[in-house]
Amino acid sequence: MAADRIRSLTLSHVVLPLDNPVSDAKVLTGRQKPLTETVLLFCEVTTEQGLEGMGFSYSKRAGGPAQYAHLAEVAQVAIGKDPSDIAKIYESLMWAGASVGRSGVATQAVAALDVALWDLKARRADLPLAKLLGAHRDSCRVYNTSGGFLQASVAEIKAKATASLDSGIGGIKIKVGQPDWAEDLRRVAAMREHLGDTPLMVDANQQWDRARARRMCRELEQFDLIWIEEPLDAWDAVGHADLSRTFDTPIATGEMLTSVPEHMALLDAGYRGIVQPDAPRIGGITPFLRFATLASHAGLALAPHYAMEIHLHLAAAYPTEPWVEHFEWLNPLFEERIEIRDGQMFVPDRPGLGFTLSDRMRSLTKETATFGQ
């Protein structure tokens, strides 16, 4: 096939309201307000040969307009480039915005275009992205998080957990980390009794200091959890590494980190837990794969955060069996749905990511920008 060129890029700033506000420990400790919406940055790529790709990034509570503005500033450098040169384009975009760094908003903005180029490449090959990357499996273990937030009563999270399991989901994660640690333990105990031996995870959303984290991890050992997530500040690599070497229950962290070097700080500190990179946050699929290779070499388990539409493919290409997080929040933005049954989430057999944008996504778009022809 003759070399192709990127003809145009279209960016869309989308605001997706949640059906009901949700609260994790950051709300109960007074650090944030309840989450009411997800803001997304979509990027649609078209080439001179008529090929197309779609990718997205996202933010919660703040940062969405900044992501859109940043990619709008640097996107022009990709016009006319060969869409197969994904790593080269990624570096060009990072250099175009180098004055604001190589993490945070800068990487999250570029992620939308990077994901779109991988989607395009897999579509051109007529393969699901997982197959293009070299899949180890056709499905991944799946757990639900959206039913376990702290604004819900124990009765409500039990009911939501039962509904999730009845729908074919294999594990349940609930939030902890509220000011009353004894209430955390009561909720976890109630869920363990309700679920029996069903896989159960907890997420403290960075709300403990090192002393409280050690005490809570010790108390939580009795519940046979799959992992304890973000017991400490996300950037406390040394603290997370220490906990991961101290307790039998695995520690999980990484979702908030926005670059490969930030993730590598965990490995450098001797971390032995579960890594949770988020492709839209780390900068896209290109840097996600760079870190995944290093994490696999270190023998770490993988459980990517959020964005199951992207992460299912990346998890399927990881050497050891991962978990994929189920959130139904983004469903209105896409025409297709992911098959879930028997505790597994199945890789779509459609090319690329396997998703097309819905009319609902278009109606939620607040602004767009197009570059190229």
Side-chain angles (χ1 to χ4, degrees):
M1 181 180 293
D4 201 358
R5 294 288 181 268
I6 295 173
R7 185 182 68 198
S8 66
L9 301 171
T10 298
L11 312 184
S12 300
H13 174 208
V14 175
V15 178
L16 174 65
L18 300 183
D19 292 337
N20 299 291
V22 298
S23 297
D24 59 25
K26 297 187 295 292
V27 176
L28 274 66
T29 56
R31 291 176 171 174
Q32 291 184 341
K33 295 180 180 180
L35 182 65
T36 60
E37 63 189 21
T38 300
V39 181
L40 299 105
L41 168 60
F42 281 90
C43 180
E44 297 168 83
V45 181
T46 303
T47 74
E48 293 175 353
Q49 294 180 7
L51 300 174
E52 297 179 341
M54 177 277 296
F56 67 90
S57 188
Y58 72 93
S59 65
K60 298 176 181 177
R61 294 185 176 88
Q67 291 180 17
Y68 176 84
H70 184 78
L71 187 54
E73 273 198 290
V74 301
Q76 187 66 41
V77 304
I79 299 299
K81 300 295 193 301
D82 185 335
S84 293
D85 295 340
I86 300 176
K88 181 179 180 180
I89 293 170
Y90 180 83
E91 293 299 325
S92 295
L93 292 166
M94 295 309 299
W95 277 110
S99 66
V100 294
R102 297 184 179 183
S103 62
V105 167
T107 49
Q108 292 173 63
V110 168
L113 176 50
D114 184 81
V115 173
L117 292 176
W118 280 102
D119 180 52
L120 187 154
K121 190 169 188 175
R123 289 192 195 192
R124 182 173 55 204
D126 197 28
L127 291 171
L129 178 60
K131 299 291 186 181
L132 180 75
L133 296 175
H136 284 269
R137 59 194 64 83
D138 294 323
S139 66
C140 297
R141 294 176 295 182
V142 57
Y143 71 97
N144 175 264
T145 295
S146 58
F149 280 81
L150 289 173
Q151 84 288 340
S153 67
V154 170
E156 289 172 325
I157 62 175
K158 283 182 178 180
K160 291 175 180 178
T162 297
S164 291
L165 297 176
D166 288 345
S167 73
I169 289 170
I172 300 296
K173 187 172 79 180
I174 66 170
K175 300 292 186 174
V176 294
Q178 56 192 312
D180 183 356
W181 61 267
E183 179 60 20
D184 279 337
L185 295 176
R186 285 192 288 270
R187 287 168 69 94
V188 176
M191 285 303 294
R192 173 47 77 206
E193 181 181 10
H194 178 69
L195 294 173
D197 60 0
T198 295
L200 175 63
M201 306 83 161
V202 301
D203 183 358
N205 288 111
Q206 311 178 68
Q207 295 310 291
W208 296 327
D209 60 24
R210 288 186 179 183
R212 173 56 60 195
R214 290 178 70 86
R215 292 187 179 101
M216 290 300 293
C217 286
R218 187 174 295 111
E219 292 284 350
L220 290 167
E221 291 272 53
Q222 64 185 299
F223 298 113
D224 191 28
L225 301 175
I226 299 299
W227 69 67
I228 300 167
E229 185 170 334
E230 282 195 329
L232 299 168
D233 183 279
W235 286 269
D236 186 356
V238 171
H240 278 108
D242 179 61
L243 293 175
S244 75
R245 296 191 300 264
T246 301
F247 296 99
D248 291 337
T249 303
I251 304 300
T253 193
E255 69 177 64
M256 297 300 299
L257 305 181
T258 60
S259 69
V260 173
E262 289 176 6
H263 283 273
M264 283 304 299
L266 288 166
L267 275 64
D268 292 342
Y271 183 67
R272 295 294 180 265
I274 298 166
V275 289
Q276 299 182 298
D278 181 319
R281 282 182 174 162
I282 199 174
I285 292 172
T286 298
F288 184 105
L289 294 175
R290 291 174 185 170
F291 176 66
T293 298
L294 298 169
S296 174
H297 181 71
L300 301 182
L302 177 79
H305 169 255
Y306 201 60
M308 62 188 185
E309 296 81 4
I310 299 170
H311 290 136
L312 174 56
H313 292 275
L314 304 183
Y318 196 70
T320 57
E321 187 176 11
W323 284 91
V324 173
E325 186 171 30
H326 175 266
F327 266 95
E328 70 281 1
W329 291 355
L330 303 187
N331 282 352
L333 305 176
F334 306 106
E335 294 290 347
E336 299 82 5
R337 297 292 177 266
I338 299 175
E339 180 184 0
I340 297 174
R341 56 181 167 82
D342 301 325
Q344 298 281 310
M345 181 182 288
F346 288 80
V347 175
D349 58 9
R350 302 177 295 272
L353 294 175
F355 294 96
T356 52
L357 299 176
S358 67
D359 291 340
R360 176 72 170 148
M361 174 268 177
R362 302 296 180 190
S363 71
L364 293 169
T365 298
K366 303 304 180 184
E367 56 183 327
T368 63
T370 299
F371 303 86
Q373 298 291 324

